[in-house]
């Protein structure tokens, strides 16, 4: 089986982190976002994976060389000379995806969930038509495009963009499985699979919806990245409780790389991920944060709802909160307050940031 992952563009929503590395390589739950998807695809029997990339292809290729060997699958980079939207990349990779009659997966790269690939194969083969979309339930359907389908068999009737009146609370979860014949519908040009291809397939009675069980999150921006991390840690605790950190000062779900060093009298958690080589000095309090590789948090600092970038240094008695994000190699001097600051890489911050803002 094959899969195509829409890796796409510049990752602007997740800046300042994506100013240093492409979004799919940003660590989520202590491994690159993309690796969660690759591992789940290989586990479901996928042997060849195409990454549809329009930006920083060389960096992606270098990072993924060892992943190919470890997972035992072939990873091909399909480079777009111009951004081709969400359907164009399928036409660009047509030769690979249509080598045989096996169905293939297509995924958005910034979603996180308990990937149901094996169930998708069964569901798709059962209805025998061209396409299956995974849908997930949301609390506020008016913010999204919703999917309307027959509850008894999942056949999709229509799509409604940001409905003002209730028609459905199910949205497209960014995971699909297709029969290769659907590739005839797509031309090699910038085009949207959601707006152009899907309505046509639904009109022909060729598109079905499978409901996702469990959590789902698009983690493409910092606020949702942190919410997704909380959901992921809860799921991980159920599936692999042995991976969770326990001990003095640890509260709730906490994931700590074995190479990290934690001082005494700290309070870590709930919902914290601490990456490799991180140093946390005495008396630090961290809640609902991701601390990336090589960061150093000095004593008695208090962090809540933050993403601390690679190799950052947070001084003594610093307070940071409200979805503050430090890009790579940022220094925050002692005794400062950062409230919702987005700080670009390689900066030194000597004054407090009392109001949410981007610091260039």
């Amino acid at each position: 089986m094959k899969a195509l992952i829409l890796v796409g563009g510049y990752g602007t929503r997740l800046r300042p982190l994506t100013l240093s590395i492409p979004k799919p390589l940003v660590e989520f739950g202590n491994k690159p976002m993309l690796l969660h998807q690759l591992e789940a695809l290989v586990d479901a029997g996928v042997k060849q994976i195409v990454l549809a990339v329009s930006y920083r292809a060389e960096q992606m290729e270098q990072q993924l060389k060892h992943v190919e060997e470890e997972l035992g699958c072939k990873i091909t980079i399909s480079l777009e000379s111009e951004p081709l939207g969400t359907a164009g990349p399928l036409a660009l990779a047509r030769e690979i995806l249509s080598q045989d009659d096996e169905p293939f997966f297509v995924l958005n790269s910034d979603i996180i969930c308990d990937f149901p690939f094996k169930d998708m194969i069964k569901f798709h083969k059962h209805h025998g038509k061209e396409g299956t979309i995974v849908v997930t339930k949301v609390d506020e359907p008016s913010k999204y495009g919703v999917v309307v389908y027959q509850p008894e068999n999942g056949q999709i009737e229509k799509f409604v963009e940001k409905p003002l009146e209730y028609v459905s609370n199910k949205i497209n979860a960014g995971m699909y499985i297709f029969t290769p014949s659907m590739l005839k519908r797509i031309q090699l040009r910038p085009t949207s699979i959601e707006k152009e291809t899907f309505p046509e397939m639904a009109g022909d009675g060729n598109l079905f919806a499978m409901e996702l069980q469990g959590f789902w999150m698009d983690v493409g921006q910092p606020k949702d990245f942190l919410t997704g991390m909380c959901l992921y840690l809860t799921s991980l605790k159920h599936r692999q409780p042995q991976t969770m950190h326990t001990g003095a000062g640890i509260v709730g779900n906490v994931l700590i790389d074995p190479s990290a060093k934690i001082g005494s009298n700290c309070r870590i958690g709930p919902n914290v991920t601490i990456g490799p080589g991180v140093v946390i000095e005495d008396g630090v309090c961290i809640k609902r944060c991701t601390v990336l590789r090589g960061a150093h948090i000095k004593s008695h600092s208090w962090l809540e709802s933050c993403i601390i970038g690679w190799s950052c240094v947070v001084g003594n008695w610093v307070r940071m909160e409200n979805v503050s994000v430090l890009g790579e190699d940022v220094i925050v001097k002692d005794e400062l307050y950062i409230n919702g600051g987005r700080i670009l890489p390689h900066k030194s911050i000597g004054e407090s940031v009392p109001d949410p803002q981007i610091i260039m």
Side-chain angles (χ1 to χ4, degrees):
M1 282 192 77
K2 299 169 192 69
L4 180 135
I5 303 178
L6 296 162
V7 174
Y10 299 108
T12 49
R13 296 182 305 150
L14 200 55
R15 284 179 179 165
L17 299 173
T18 48
L19 294 169
S20 296
I21 69 170
K23 182 173 61 179
L25 300 178
V26 172
E27 294 94 331
F28 176 92
N30 278 354
K31 61 181 164 190
M33 236 183 253
L34 185 64
L35 192 54
H36 292 271
Q37 299 186 336
L38 295 176
E39 286 176 350
L41 285 167
V42 169
D43 185 54
V46 171
K47 293 281 182 272
Q48 184 164 13
I49 297 165
V50 179
L51 302 180
V53 182
S54 59
Y55 171 65
R56 286 191 170 172
E58 310 78 29
Q59 202 171 351
M60 296 279 291
E61 218 159 359
Q62 283 172 348
Q63 295 270 7
L64 292 168
K65 278 215 166 68
H66 69 97
V67 175
E68 262 191 320
E69 290 162 26
E70 281 168 27
L71 295 180
C73 68
K74 183 171 169 47
I75 299 175
T76 309
I77 304 268
S78 175
L79 183 60
E80 302 166 27
S81 52
E82 60 168 333
L84 290 171
T86 48
L90 277 73
L92 190 62
R94 191 190 318 265
E95 230 171 83
I96 296 173
L97 299 175
S98 59
Q99 280 169 357
D100 51 38
D101 293 334
E102 277 292 310
F104 60 88
F105 292 103
V106 175
L107 316 180
N108 292 346
S109 69
D110 39 15
I111 52 169
I112 199 82
C113 62
D114 291 332
F115 297 104
F117 298 135
K118 290 174 184 169
D119 293 338
M120 286 170 72
I121 296 167
K122 279 186 208 143
F123 182 88
H124 184 73
K125 289 190 169 169
H126 177 73
H127 67 67
K129 301 287 187 176
E130 278 187 348
T132 299
I133 297 182
V134 176
V135 295
T136 186
K137 190 166 137 188
V138 288
D139 295 332
E140 290 182 60
S142 59
K143 285 163 114 182
Y144 302 91
V146 297
V147 185
V148 181
Y149 56 92
Q150 296 170 9
E152 62 279 1
N153 65 357
Q155 185 167 343
I156 294 176
E157 293 167 4
K158 60 179 176 178
F159 298 87
V160 183
E161 192 55 42
K162 298 187 176 168
L164 296 173
E165 293 176 7
Y166 181 89
V167 286
S168 164
N169 61 357
K170 302 294 196 306
I171 66 163
N172 174 353
M175 289 180 281
Y176 323 123
I177 184 168
F178 299 123
T179 301
S181 61
M182 72 77 71
L183 292 167
K184 295 190 188 86
R185 298 176 181 271
I186 301 172
Q187 296 171 353
L188 182 51
R189 61 179 174 84
T191 167
S192 163
I193 201 166
E194 299 87 354
K195 294 192 174 84
E196 296 176 58
T197 319
F198 287 167
E200 186 188 295
M201 288 170 75
D204 295 349
N206 258 308
L207 196 58
F208 284 69
M210 180 186 120
E211 292 178 17
L212 179 68
Q213 306 305 313
F215 83 100
W216 176 89
M217 200 73 205
D218 171 337
V219 292
Q221 53 188 336
K223 169 174 71 73
D224 298 335
F225 184 99
L226 290 169
T227 302
M229 178 196 68
C230 300
L231 296 168
Y232 170 73
L233 291 177
T234 302
S235 164
L236 194 61
K237 181 163 189 176
H238 285 299
R239 291 181 291 115
Q240 300 171 355
Q242 73 284 0
T243 56
M244 289 292 154
H245 203 84
T246 54
I250 301 292
V251 182
N253 297 335
V254 175
L255 191 62
I256 300 181
D257 186 271
S259 64
K261 292 183 171 61
I262 314 280
S264 56
N265 301 320
C266 290
R267 183 188 191 276
I268 312 284
N271 297 311
V272 170
T273 303
I274 292 176
V278 169
V279 175
I280 291 172
E281 293 186 8
D282 299 349
V284 168
C285 177
I286 305 182
K287 312 175 198 175
R288 200 173 181 273
C289 291
T290 284
V291 184
L292 295 169
R293 184 184 60 248
H296 187 146
I297 316 291
K298 294 194 173 175
S299 60
H300 305 293
S301 283
W302 188 97
L303 279 61
E304 180 166 11
S305 292
C306 300
I307 304 174
I308 307 298
W310 309 272
S311 307
C312 287
V313 178
V314 175
N316 300 295
W317 298 97
V318 167
R319 182 180 178 116
M320 287 178 60
E321 61 188 346
N322 190 20
V323 197
S324 289
V325 185
L326 304 185
E328 182 182 16
D329 176 40
V330 168
I331 296 170
V332 178
K333 299 281 178 68
D334 295 349
E335 299 176 26
L336 296 183
Y337 172 54
I338 311 282
N339 171 29
R342 305 281 164 92
I343 298 166
L344 271 63
H346 315 298
K347 297 287 297 173
S348 180
I349 301 298
E351 289 175 26
S352 289
V353 181
D355 301 306
Q357 58 180 287
I358 295 167
I359 300 201
M360 318 276 283

